[in-house]
């Protein structure tokens, strides 16, 4: 196997959870599968994967020839492999459900994994299952081309000490979306008056860069404003829906106004997915909305800073109703052309066993959530009040309402994300002086052109 550069230091494993689901049955004849896996954000994640592979090989007699590759280079490798046809047996990437699987399932380039998912289907979170079904334009139907083993949502990350230094209490934060963001704005003036001149209140990301954070940020504003139906599970876009249009306009208006009024770091217009983490760690901003608890886990071994961060779930939407979080389900998939589909499926069946996946994620410090609610409900690790980072994150992602990333409904939405349509719309307002309504109409028209290329037959 190959392993590229990694960060952080080793942490011991934690106790195992109770076994759920069918027992794993090893293959009789030893074979080899080639696996490309996303390198962890911290060393603990990689060590957990290594242990998983060792245990699988011991139980199955098969060999897993695996490579741990960093996030961005792995995406490049996957795209190149799928384009050339020279593919490994198993692929996975942290944003594959948004950026790789939708179009490749559409183009019939992936192996149907229904038989794999069925082994644990009764245990899966409903949103994870919904996020694993993709439309194949050759067969004209949806199927499971993705076997999820972890999930993530976007919680808020807040420097508790900065809130206190500004003279505020988080317990006083409003319970609705826009008001919650507004709560942090006055802190900027107070903290700058105390010498923190380079500090900003909000970790908004109106970026035209990518690949994920800018889109995810905008989607949360859109959902908070009632635009969750922009694309429905049947794959149909609803871009002309007045409620969707108003949600887009209101979202652009809030984001652009916060930026123009100076509450957002100026560089946010061109941030990549790692830049907000870096800015937050440098205490350049009081709060941030970002996927997983990577922000906290990066400081796991710096306990004073780790404990200073407050992880919070989502407030209610602007109508006062429970906010629906956009959930990303990360899974394994098998490209057509794989040389050993049998072992590929066997390995994935092993990985998605509740006990195996749960232990793997716990050893990775809880940065990713189990795709099976039983694990969160029965294993004290996930809701332990002694670590509110993990507990609040798990509640938001597994127990509270969620919706899959929109590309699982229609692969055209993945193309829209790749074009950074929402970031461009925000920039049109901020830099070009467009009204939010004009920018929204331009963005929705462009989305309509893209989505029209992906007609989905309705049963």
């Amino acid at each position: 196997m190959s392993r590229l550069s990694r960060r952080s230091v080793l942490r011991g494993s934690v106790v195992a959870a109770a076994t759920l689901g069918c027992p794993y049955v090893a293959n009789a004849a030893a074979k080899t599968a080639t696996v490309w896996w996303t390198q962890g954000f911290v060393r603990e994640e990689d060590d957990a994967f290594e242990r998983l592979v060792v245990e699988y090989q011991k139980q199955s007699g098969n060999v897993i020839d695996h490579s741990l590759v960093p996030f961005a280079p792995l995406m490049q490798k996957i795209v190149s492999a799928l384009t050339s046809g020279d593919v490994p047996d198993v692929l996975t990437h942290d944003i594959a459900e948004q950026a790789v699987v939708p179009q490749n399932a559409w183009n019939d380039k992936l192996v149907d994994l229904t038989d794999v998912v069925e082994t644990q289907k009764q245990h899966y979170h409903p949103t994870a299952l919904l996020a694993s079904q993709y439309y194949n334009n050759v067969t004209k139907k949806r199927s499971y081309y993705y076997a999820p083993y972890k999930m993530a949502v976007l919680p808020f990350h807040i420097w508790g000490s900065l809130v206190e230094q500004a003279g505020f209490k988080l317990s006083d934060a409003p319970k609705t979306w826009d008001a919650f963001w507004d709560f942090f704005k006055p802190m900027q003036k107070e903290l700058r008056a105390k010498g923190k001149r380079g500090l900003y209140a909000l970790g908004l990301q109106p970026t035209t860069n990518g690949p994920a954070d800018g889109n995810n940020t905008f989607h949360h504003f859109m959902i908070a404003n009632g635009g969750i139906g922009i694309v429905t599970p049947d794959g149909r876009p609803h871009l002309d829906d007045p409620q969707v249009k108003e949600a887009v306009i209101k979202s652009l208006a809030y984001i652009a106004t916060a930026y123009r009024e100076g509450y957002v770091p100026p560089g946010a217009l061109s941030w990549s997915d790692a830049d907000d983490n870096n800015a937050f760690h440098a205490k350049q901003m009081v709060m941030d909305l970002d996927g997983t608890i990577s922000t906290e886990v990066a400081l796991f071994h710096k306990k004073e800073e780790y404990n200073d961060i407050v992880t919070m779930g989502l407030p209610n939407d602007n109508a006062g109703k429970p906010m629906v979080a956009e959930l990303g389900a990360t899974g394994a998939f098998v490209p057509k052309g794989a040389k050993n589909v049998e072992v590929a499926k066997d390995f994935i069946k092993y990985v998605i066993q509740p006990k195996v996946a749960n232990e793997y994620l716990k050893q990775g410090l809880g940065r990713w959530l189990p795709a099976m609610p039983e694990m969160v409900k029965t294993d004290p690790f996930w809701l332990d009040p002694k670590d509110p980072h993990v507990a609040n994150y798990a509640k938001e992602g597994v127990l509270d309402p969620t919706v899959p990333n929109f590309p699982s409904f229609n692969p055209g939405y993945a193309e829209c994300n790749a074009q950074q349509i929402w970031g461009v719309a925000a920039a049109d307002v901020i830099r070009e002086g467009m009204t939010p309504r004009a920018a929204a109409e331009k963005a929705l028209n462009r989305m309509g052109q893209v989505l029209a290329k992906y007609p989905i037959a309705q049963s």
Side-chain angles (χ1 to χ4, degrees):
M1 62 150 285
S2 63
R3 172 182 281 173
L4 305 185
S5 61
R6 300 188 284 185
R7 291 167 287 180
S8 192
V9 295
L10 176 64
R11 178 184 181 231
S13 62
V14 289
V15 295
T19 302
L20 289 173
C22 301
Y24 173 72
V25 179
N27 282 341
K31 297 178 182 178
T32 299
T34 303
V35 176
W36 293 356
W37 207 263
T38 315
Q39 184 185 38
F41 189 77
V42 291
R43 176 64 181 263
E44 285 85 349
E45 292 180 289
D46 293 346
D47 291 318
F49 179 67
E50 297 284 5
R51 285 189 284 269
L52 182 153
V53 169
V54 168
E55 188 58 32
Y56 169 76
Q57 292 181 148
K58 184 190 302 181
Q59 292 189 30
S60 69
N62 294 327
V63 175
I64 299 300
D65 179 12
H66 57 295
S67 298
L68 285 166
V69 188
F71 182 93
L74 179 58
M75 180 59 71
Q76 295 169 355
K77 281 174 65 70
I78 289 173
V79 171
S80 177
L82 290 169
T83 301
S84 68
D86 184 12
V87 295
D89 298 303
V90 177
L91 289 167
T92 185
H93 192 282
D94 289 347
I95 60 167
E97 92 287 1
Q98 298 186 58
V100 177
V101 174
Q103 273 100 350
N104 283 282
W106 171 272
N107 290 320
D108 196 34
K109 290 188 174 183
L110 304 181
V111 174
D112 190 325
L113 296 182
T114 298
D115 57 332
V116 175
V117 174
E118 286 287 346
T119 63
Q120 303 297 340
K121 189 174 181 180
Q122 73 271 28
H123 298 299
Y124 271 122
H125 192 293
T127 306
L129 281 178
L130 197 57
S132 303
Q133 300 175 64
Y134 294 86
Y135 187 80
N136 184 320
N137 194 43
V138 174
T139 64
K140 303 299 181 185
K141 65 178 184 179
R142 290 185 183 273
S143 195
Y144 291 106
Y145 293 99
Y146 201 54
Y149 57 89
K150 65 183 183 180
M151 311 189 302
V153 289
L154 277 69
F156 283 97
H157 318 273
I158 304 162
W159 283 115
S161 61
L162 291 180
V163 173
E164 293 176 0
Q165 289 171 34
F168 291 78
K169 295 180 180 179
L170 275 177
S171 58
D172 295 332
K175 305 302 182 184
T176 55
W177 185 260
D178 284 1
F180 182 82
W181 286 86
D182 287 343
F183 174 71
F184 295 91
K185 291 179 178 179
M187 300 181 195
Q188 181 171 306
K189 180 180 178 180
E190 297 298 326
L191 291 168
R192 287 186 176 184
K194 295 182 178 182
K196 300 183 184 299
R197 302 192 181 278
L199 180 136
Y200 295 83
L202 309 179
L204 277 173
Q205 300 182 59
T207 178
T208 53
N209 208 335
D213 284 0
N215 292 317
N216 292 340
T217 299
F218 186 85
H219 291 154
H220 279 69
F221 273 88
M222 186 172 66
I223 291 170
N225 284 307
I228 193 171
I230 189 168
V231 178
T232 43
D234 58 8
R236 291 177 176 175
H238 301 274
L239 308 179
D240 293 328
D241 185 326
Q243 184 170 326
V244 170
K245 282 187 173 181
E246 285 304 307
V248 172
I249 293 167
K250 290 177 181 177
S251 301
L252 288 173
Y254 188 96
I255 293 170
T257 299
Y259 185 91
R260 283 175 161 177
E261 291 178 347
Y263 292 113
V264 181
L269 280 177
S270 59
W271 271 354
S272 67
D273 285 359
D275 289 330
D276 65 306
N277 296 68
N278 295 332
F280 183 86
H281 288 152
K283 293 192 175 179
Q284 190 179 353
M285 53 204 189
V286 178
M287 58 88 92
D288 188 26
L289 176 72
D290 192 38
T292 80
I293 53 171
S294 58
T295 300
E296 293 83 351
V297 165
L299 300 175
F300 183 84
H301 299 286
K302 299 179 179 180
K303 289 302 182 184
E304 185 175 350
E305 292 179 276
Y306 180 78
N307 293 328
D308 187 17
I309 301 174
V310 179
T311 306
M312 293 184 68
L314 307 181
N316 292 329
D317 65 20
N318 282 327
K321 298 177 181 178
M323 177 79 173
V324 178
E326 189 179 35
L327 182 144
T330 295
F333 56 105
V334 179
K336 286 191 172 179
K339 297 177 179 62
N340 200 335
V341 173
E342 179 188 0
V343 178
K345 286 187 173 183
D346 190 68
F347 177 64
I348 298 170
K349 287 178 183 178
Y350 176 79
V351 172
I352 66 172
Q353 289 181 104
K355 178 181 177 180
V356 173
N358 188 57
E359 190 66 15
Y360 165 62
L361 298 174
K362 289 197 302 178
Q363 291 174 8
L365 307 184
R367 185 168 82 95
W368 293 88
L369 298 169
M372 299 172 181
E374 292 110 312
M375 294 292 89
V376 169
K377 294 176 181 178
T378 60
D379 188 332
F381 173 86
W382 295 105
L383 297 175
D384 187 350
K386 294 179 182 177
D387 192 334
H389 303 310
V390 174
N392 291 339
Y393 173 48
K395 180 179 181 298
E396 178 191 342
V398 182
L399 305 182
D400 291 345
T402 53
V403 65
N405 283 309
F406 297 120
S408 63
F409 297 158
N410 188 307
Y413 209 102
E415 186 175 332
C416 293
N417 280 350
Q419 293 185 18
Q420 300 294 317
I421 286 177
W422 299 127
V424 171
D428 282 341
V429 179
I430 293 168
R431 293 192 298 214
E432 306 301 326
M434 274 192 188
T435 65
R437 183 170 296 275
E441 289 175 354
K442 175 186 171 185
L444 291 169
N445 286 338
R446 178 57 187 152
M447 290 192 75
Q449 294 169 5
V450 174
L451 292 170
K453 298 187 297 182
Y454 299 88
I456 295 178
Q458 303 297 320
S459 59

